C-alpha cells in the first residue's frame, strides 16, 4: 500500500503534465510570459490555502535554500522548454527534454552515493529506443542543431538537476510547504526575467488567459503536487524515467486535438517505451545470482511446509 500511493500520484501527475505541450503549441502567449503566469497563478491559488489552513511550515535555512534553488531550476526549465517548443517542433523539444532520465542517471552515478540500479540502465535504454520509434528514426536525420536544439537539451539538464535537488529538499520539507516556497521563488525569478526582456504582461485573448489558467491549475498545481509527493517516496531515477510516459499520452492528445497522425511504428514505440519504464519498477535485479539463490531457497521452504 505504501508503494501504491506514490505510484498512483506519479501516474496522475504524468497525465496532468501531458497536456502542457499541446497548450504551448497553440502559441497564444509568448514562451517566457507563459512560464511566468503558470507559476504566478498557481502561487495565488496555493498561498491563501496554506496560510488559512496553517499548513505552511517554514523550513530550516538549509532546506529553505534548496527549495528556492528548486524554484529557480524549475522556472528556468519551463521557460527554455516553452521557447524551444515555439521555435522548433514540439516533437524535437519533447524528445530532447525527455533525455532527463539519462542526465539523472549520470549525475547520480558520478556525484551521489546512491547509484542507479542495473534495472534503471536497462529500462532507460529500452525506453529511449521506444521514444526513438515513437517520434520516428527519420527525425534524427532532420534535427537542426540550432538555438532551439540547445535550449531543449538545456531544459532536460535543468529538469534532471531539479529532480535530484527536490529529492533532497523533500526529505525534510512537506510537499505543500515545498511547493509554496518553490512557486514563490519561480514567480519572482521569472517576473524579473520578463521585465528585463520586455515581455508583455497583458493584451492576451480570452482563450489565451484560459489556457494560462489551465496550465497553472492542471499542469502546475495538480501535476507537481502529485509528482512531488511521488518524488518524496520514490527514487528520482525512477521518477524521471516514468515521466517519459508523458510522450505517449501527449501523442494521443495531439492525435485527438491537433489532428496529428499516429502510425503503427508510433504505437509499437509507445509500448516499448512503457515496457522500459516498467523494467525500472522491478525490485530485484534478474541478473543478480544472490537474488536467484534466495528465491530458490524461499521456494524450497514453501514446498517443505
Amino acid at each position: 500500500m505504501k508503494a501504491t500511493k506514490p505510484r498512483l500520484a506519479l501516474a496522475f501527475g504524468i497525465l496532468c503534465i501531458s497536456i502542457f505541450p499541446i497548450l504551448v503549441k497553440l502559441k497564444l502567449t509568448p514562451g517566457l510570459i507563459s512560464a511566468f503566469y503558470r507559476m504566478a497563478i498557481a502561487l495565488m491559488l496555493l498561498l491563501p490555502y496554506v496560510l488559512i489552513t496553517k499548513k505552511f511550515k517554514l523550513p530550516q535555512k538549509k532546506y529553505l535554500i534548496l527549495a528556492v534553488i528548486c524554484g529557480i531550476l524549475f522556472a528556468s526549465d519551463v521557460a527554455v522548454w516553452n521557447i524551444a517548443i515555439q521555435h522548433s517542433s514540439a516533437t524535437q523539444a519533447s524528445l530532447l527534454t525527455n533525455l532527463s532520465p539519462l542526465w539523472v542517471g549520470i549525475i547520480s552515478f558520478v556525484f551521489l552515493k546512491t547509484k542507479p540500479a542495473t534495472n534503471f540502465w536497462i529500462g532507460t535504454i529500452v525506453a529511449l529506443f521506444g521514444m526513438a520509434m515513437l517520434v520516428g528514426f527519420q527525425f534524427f536525420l532532420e534535427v537542426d542543431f540550432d538555438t532551439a536544439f540547445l535550449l531543449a537539451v538545456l531544459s532536460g539538464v535543468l529538469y534532471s538537476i531539479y529532480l535530484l535537488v527536490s529529492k533532497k529538499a523533500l526529505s525534510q520539507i512537506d510537499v505543500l510547504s515545498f511547493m509554496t516556497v518553490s512557486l514563490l521563488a519561480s514567480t519572482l525569478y521569472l517576473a524579473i526575467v520578463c521585465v528585463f526582456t520586455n515581455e508583455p504582461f497583458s493584451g492576451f485573448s480570452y482563450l489565451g488567459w484560459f489556457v494560462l489558467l489551465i496550465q497553472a491549475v492542471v499542469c502546475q498545481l495538480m501535476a507537481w503536487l502529485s509528482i512531488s509527493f511521488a518524488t518524496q517516496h520514490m527514487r528520482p531515477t525512477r521518477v524521471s524515467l516514468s515521466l517519459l510516459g508523458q510522450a505517449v499520452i501527449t501523442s494521443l492528445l495531439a492525435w485527438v486535438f491537433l489532428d496529428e497522425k499516429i502510425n503503427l511504428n508510433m504505437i509499437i514505440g509507445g509500448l516499448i517505451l512503457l515496457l522500459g519504464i516498467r523494467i525500472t519498477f522491478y525490485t530485484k535485479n534478474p541478473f543478480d545470482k544472490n537474488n536467484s539463490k534466495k528465491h530458490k531457497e524461499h521456494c524450497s521452504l514453501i514446498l517443505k511446509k
Side-chain angles (χ1 to χ4, degrees):
M1 183 60 70
K2 288 183 179 180
T4 301
K5 286 184 179 180
R7 291 181 183 184
L8 289 175
L10 180 59
F12 179 72
I14 291 170
L15 180 63
C16 289
I17 62 173
S18 296
I19 68 171
F20 183 65
I22 308 298
L23 298 176
V24 173
K25 196 173 181 181
L26 295 175
K27 295 184 179 181
L28 296 174
T29 55
L32 273 177
I33 208 69
S34 172
F36 165 74
Y37 276 113
R38 171 176 167 173
M39 306 302 169
I41 296 172
L43 178 64
M44 286 189 292
L45 294 173
L46 180 63
L47 189 58
Y49 172 76
V50 296
L51 292 178
I52 292 171
T53 59
K54 298 181 180 180
K55 290 189 176 181
F56 177 76
K57 298 176 182 177
L58 187 65
Q60 296 177 6
K61 184 178 179 181
K62 174 183 177 181
Y63 296 99
L64 177 64
I65 293 172
L66 286 178
V68 170
I69 292 172
C70 284
I72 295 173
L73 285 170
F74 188 75
S76 301
D77 165 39
V78 173
V80 297
W81 191 34
N82 284 3
I83 297 170
I85 290 175
Q86 293 186 347
H87 289 79
S88 66
S89 69
T91 299
Q92 174 175 310
S94 297
L95 174 66
L96 296 173
T97 296
N98 282 321
L99 291 177
S100 57
L102 187 60
W103 306 127
V104 170
I106 292 172
I107 294 170
S108 299
F109 183 80
V110 175
F111 296 104
L112 303 181
K113 293 181 180 179
T114 305
K115 309 299 181 183
T118 304
N119 288 348
F120 167 77
W121 295 112
I122 296 172
T124 298
I125 293 171
V126 173
L128 291 178
F129 179 78
M131 174 70 78
M133 283 195 69
L134 182 66
V135 301
F137 292 108
Q138 182 65 25
F139 162 80
F140 294 95
L141 301 176
E142 300 173 353
V143 168
D144 294 322
F145 296 92
D146 53 10
T147 302
F149 175 91
L150 295 175
L151 287 175
V153 172
L154 176 60
S155 173
V157 174
L158 290 168
Y159 193 39
S160 61
I161 298 173
Y162 165 80
L163 285 173
L164 292 169
V165 177
S166 65
K167 176 67 177 179
K168 178 69 174 178
L170 285 164
S171 66
Q172 298 295 326
I173 310 175
D174 65 275
V175 172
L176 286 175
S177 298
F178 170 80
M179 283 290 294
T180 303
V181 174
S182 177
L183 280 173
L184 180 59
S186 295
T187 302
L188 293 176
Y189 168 71
L190 286 173
I192 294 171
V193 172
C194 288
V195 168
F196 274 95
T197 54
N198 296 316
E199 291 289 319
F201 284 86
S202 60
F204 313 127
S205 65
Y206 289 116
L207 182 58
W209 284 112
F210 178 70
V211 167
L212 289 174
L213 180 63
I214 295 298
Q215 287 184 28
V217 175
V218 179
C219 304
Q220 185 61 39
L221 273 183
M222 295 172 65
W224 286 97
L225 282 172
S226 300
I227 294 172
S228 295
F229 174 77
T231 303
Q232 197 174 40
H233 296 87
M234 297 171 64
R235 300 172 191 166
T237 49
R238 185 173 286 176
V239 172
S240 66
L241 191 59
S242 298
L243 290 172
L244 285 179
Q246 170 197 343
V248 178
I249 302 174
T250 299
S251 297
L252 292 173
L253 292 173
W255 173 57
V256 174
F257 296 106
L258 301 178
D259 200 28
E260 293 189 1
K261 295 180 180 179
I262 290 183
N263 54 39
L264 182 60
N265 278 354
M266 294 177 70
I267 295 172
I268 295 173
L271 293 174
I272 293 174
L273 191 157
L274 294 175
L275 173 63
I277 294 172
R278 179 66 185 90
I279 289 172
T280 67
F281 280 85
Y282 286 113
T283 55
K284 294 181 179 180
N285 180 0
F287 302 103
D288 192 335
K289 293 181 180 180
N290 292 328
N291 282 332
S292 178
K293 184 178 179 181
K294 289 178 182 177
H295 178 68
K296 289 179 181 178
E297 290 174 352
H298 179 66
C299 290
S300 64
L301 287 173
I302 293 175
L303 291 172
K304 286 178 182 179
K305 289 181 180 178

